[in-house]
Amino acid sequence: KELTAELAKYGFRSQAHVRVLVSMYKARQFLVVDHVKAAKRELKVAVAGSAPNDLELPLFLKAYAEYVRDNFHKSHALLAAVPNGPNRALTLNNLGCLHVRCQKYSAAALFFRRAVQEM
């Protein structure tokens, strides 16, 4: 109980929430140094430990890991699975960037326009 009270003092909900955040930070660092395989392993832990309403950020990172690996189809599927929430404009912008990378400029313009409208 003492640990839970201490975590709550800093804005964390539980030990599982802290584990998810640590896994996401580790995955970000692995992506920065181009260790995609290790990042995917950490992201798997983050997604498995996340509550259904907290999947947005782990899915963003997972989509970025696939984007780095040039697996655009899977990245698009992951971004499309992100639930509508406060970061909807970010999701639409990422989809636009993905379509630019695939040289689908008209679809990219549509996503960028929708992202601006969401802001």
Side-chain angles (χ1 to χ4, degrees), residues 85-93 111-119:
N87 294 325
R88 182 69 180 152
L90 182 61
T91 303
L92 294 170
N93 183 65
F111 282 110
F112 290 138
R113 192 174 307 117
R114 287 176 54 197
V116 170
Q117 290 171 352
E118 288 281 329
M119 294 174 80

Side-chain angles (χ1 to χ4, degrees), residues 30-31 34-41 43 61-75 78 98 101:
F30 283 133
L31 287 171
D34 209 25
H35 289 292
V36 180
K37 196 172 189 178
K40 285 187 75 170
R41 186 173 51 246
L43 287 169
L61 281 175
K62 201 168 181 181
Y64 180 69
E66 294 300 332
Y67 179 83
V68 168
R69 295 178 67 207
D70 292 335
N71 192 350
F72 304 127
H73 182 72
K74 191 165 186 181
S75 180
L78 287 166
L98 183 64
R101 183 76 189 266

Side-chain angles (χ1 to χ4, degrees), residues 93-115:
N93 183 65
N94 288 348
L95 284 166
C97 292
L98 183 64
H99 281 85
V100 166
R101 183 76 189 266
C102 294
Q103 298 179 350
K104 296 179 181 177
Y105 301 112
S106 59
L110 175 74
F111 282 110
F112 290 138
R113 192 174 307 117
R114 287 176 54 197

Side-chain angles (χ1 to χ4, degrees), residues 2 11 13 21 23-24 26 29 33 35 47 63 70-71 75 81 89 97-98 103 107 109 116:
E2 288 180 27
R13 292 185 291 260
L21 291 177
S23 291
M24 287 194 318
K26 285 170 72 175
Q29 294 307 312
V33 294
H35 289 292
V47 169
D70 292 335
N71 192 350
S75 180
C97 292
L98 183 64
Q103 298 179 350
V116 170

